Amino acid sequence: MKRQFASESVTMGHPDKLCDQVSDAILDAILEDDPNARVACETCTTTGLILVMGEISTKTYVPIPDIVRKVVLDIGYNDSALGFDGHSCSVLTAITEQSADISDGVSRAQETRDNKDAKQILGAGDQGMMFGFACNETPEYMPTPIVYSHRLTRRMDEIRKSGKFNWMRPDGKSQVTVSYEGYKPVSIDSVVISTQHDADISQEEIRKEMMEHVIKPILPEELLNAQTRYYVNPSGRFVIGGPAGDSGLTGRKIIVDTYGGFAPHGGGCFSGKDPTKVDRSAAYAARYIAKNIVASGLAERCEVALAYAIGVAEPVSYRIDLFGTGKADEGKIARYIRDNIDLSPGGIIEKLDLRRPIYRQTATYGHFGRNDLDLPWERLDLAEQLKRKF
């Protein structure tokens, strides 16, 4: 059966992604000195303004306005002519401490709360559902549409920051539609590239340069054909962009952050959250399990679903789905994983060593399939163990 699927990505200058990077940069700065800090940091932006808000409990101090401005300038918003400037934009903060009720529930899980002699363990920082996914259709163990969408936006950022085209601006998007036969990607049906630009460049020149220097170097010829459609700045002029063109908010690109819509998402975002928040840590653990199952050869596709109750350490729901591609009994694999991996928040944090400043680098081009980064949830150290067992 033939079908199509599309996924999008955005450049680092997209207003929502700007906010994700700010939130994770603040988180990293805090974790550098206080690994046990509780951080729920959200950022919003509009023309000339960035607001950092949320709940942070920490023993350290970080200069939030300085961090914000550095992120904005690193992205490339460094001149008022761009409509947004890290030198001059207003930075406001509205930070309180984490609720004492939530803090107590996280620090002392329900399983040990009423037993004064028991060793205290971490409870989940919130309720919710988390999903992890992996497939064998790309070297990244990720779906093809999101892989190429991310590669395109990364290429756009690299070219812009290199200075090759001085008309390029930080805001931009990509989208790739892939045709499948069953689970096999057979062709790219359409490609969308939108790049912010200065007022003097023609759309014809933009299309020519994007085709030559972004699309052709990234997309494999074997997936392109005479029917592939290319849309470059399909709306026409894209001069006003970034926070001047659209407000931004942390967590508004969660599908870009994960699997491009190819797999479910529980709804919680990652950026700005310390690892006691299972929205982040349990989603990483689910990806780790799914990727290692596929890498071991036990399945071609795998989805791991977890759910938690606030203040409770053990997941209230746990499921593995191999979509009929499993090479061993699905139930036995699920039980073996559950018996050998501690899926409590504390267990996940320890297993993946998450109390470290590693998060800002994940705030662009996705949190998964990042072969360019040494991320603990992307490691394949469980795959050999699974091969030997099954």
Side-chain angles (χ1 to χ4, degrees), residues 185-299:
V186 293
S187 65
I188 291 175
D189 180 77
S190 67
V191 184
V192 182
I193 291 288
S194 294
T195 180
Q196 185 188 7
H197 57 86
D198 73 17
D200 297 327
I201 187 78
S202 70
Q203 293 301 312
E204 292 75 16
E205 182 71 10
I206 292 171
R207 178 181 172 83
K208 173 180 173 292
E209 302 297 7
M210 291 296 99
M211 287 292 298
E212 185 68 26
H213 297 281
V214 175
I215 294 172
K216 287 182 179 179
I218 293 299
L219 300 183
E221 290 186 7
E222 61 269 22
L223 291 180
L224 303 175
N225 54 46
Q227 286 72 50
T228 302
R229 295 168 292 166
Y230 302 95
Y231 301 96
V232 178
N233 281 17
S235 68
R237 280 168 57 91
F238 184 8
V239 174
I240 301 172
D246 192 9
S247 62
L249 180 66
T250 298
R252 210 155 57 179
K253 283 291 174 282
I254 56 176
I255 302 305
V256 172
D257 288 339
T258 54
Y259 307 101
F262 213 87
H265 192 297
C269 79
F270 303 153
S271 290
K273 295 179 179 177
D274 76 81
T276 66
K277 279 70 171 175
V278 284
D279 278 338
R280 180 165 223 158
S281 53
Y284 291 168
R287 162 65 177 177
Y288 171 76
I289 293 168
K291 184 177 181 181
N292 275 270
I293 288 173
V294 173
S296 73
L298 291 177

Side-chain angles (χ1 to χ4, degrees), residues 33-269:
D33 188 52
D34 184 6
N36 294 306
R38 301 283 170 78
V39 181
C41 175
E42 297 186 55
T43 304
C44 64
T45 184
T46 187
T47 306
L49 172 67
I50 291 181
L51 169 64
V52 178
M53 55 193 170
E55 300 78 43
I56 299 175
S57 295
T58 179
K59 68 181 184 181
T60 193
Y61 165 81
V62 298
I64 289 177
D66 292 348
I67 294 169
V68 171
R69 294 186 189 282
K70 185 176 188 309
V71 171
V72 174
L73 294 170
D74 285 349
I75 289 170
Y77 289 114
N78 53 17
D79 190 320
S80 59
L82 302 177
F84 201 76
D85 184 359
H87 296 293
S88 59
C89 66
S90 296
V91 179
L92 305 179
T93 59
I95 304 293
T96 61
E97 291 192 342
Q98 184 181 57
S99 156
D101 295 337
I102 294 176
S103 178
D104 186 58
V106 173
S107 298
R108 300 187 300 156
Q110 185 188 68
E111 289 92 330
T112 60
R113 203 172 301 148
D114 298 326
N115 185 346
K116 294 181 180 179
D117 297 324
K119 179 183 177 183
Q120 296 301 321
I121 58 175
L122 287 176
D126 203 349
Q127 69 177 43
M129 306 155 289
M130 297 85 212
F131 294 90
F133 179 78
C135 57
N136 64 357
E137 63 187 71
T138 63
E140 294 90 345
Y141 295 95
M142 291 284 285
T144 302
I146 191 65
V147 165
Y148 286 111
S149 292
H150 283 323
R151 290 185 188 179
L152 289 170
T153 52
R154 182 197 294 272
R155 177 70 173 170
M156 291 166 68
D157 279 331
E158 289 172 350
I159 288 178
R160 174 181 61 83
K161 297 195 105 182
S162 75
K164 184 176 182 64
F165 301 131
N166 60 12
W167 51 263
M168 286 188 77
R169 299 293 180 258
D171 198 357
K173 287 185 174 184
S174 69
Q175 184 170 282
V176 177
T177 301
V178 174
S179 294
Y180 283 81
E181 289 182 358
Y183 287 140
K184 182 182 179 182
V186 293
S187 65
I188 291 175
D189 180 77
S190 67
V191 184
V192 182
I193 291 288
S194 294
T195 180
Q196 185 188 7
H197 57 86
D198 73 17
D200 297 327
I201 187 78
S202 70
Q203 293 301 312
E204 292 75 16
E205 182 71 10
I206 292 171
R207 178 181 172 83
K208 173 180 173 292
E209 302 297 7
M210 291 296 99
M211 287 292 298
E212 185 68 26
H213 297 281
V214 175
I215 294 172
K216 287 182 179 179
I218 293 299
L219 300 183
E221 290 186 7
E222 61 269 22
L223 291 180
L224 303 175
N225 54 46
Q227 286 72 50
T228 302
R229 295 168 292 166
Y230 302 95
Y231 301 96
V232 178
N233 281 17
S235 68
R237 280 168 57 91
F238 184 8
V239 174
I240 301 172
D246 192 9
S247 62
L249 180 66
T250 298
R252 210 155 57 179
K253 283 291 174 282
I254 56 176
I255 302 305
V256 172
D257 288 339
T258 54
Y259 307 101
F262 213 87
H265 192 297
C269 79

Side-chain angles (χ1 to χ4, degrees), residues 365-376:
Y365 321 125
H367 293 243
F368 307 126
R370 298 298 300 277
N371 293 343
D372 58 312
L373 303 175
D374 182 20
L375 299 174

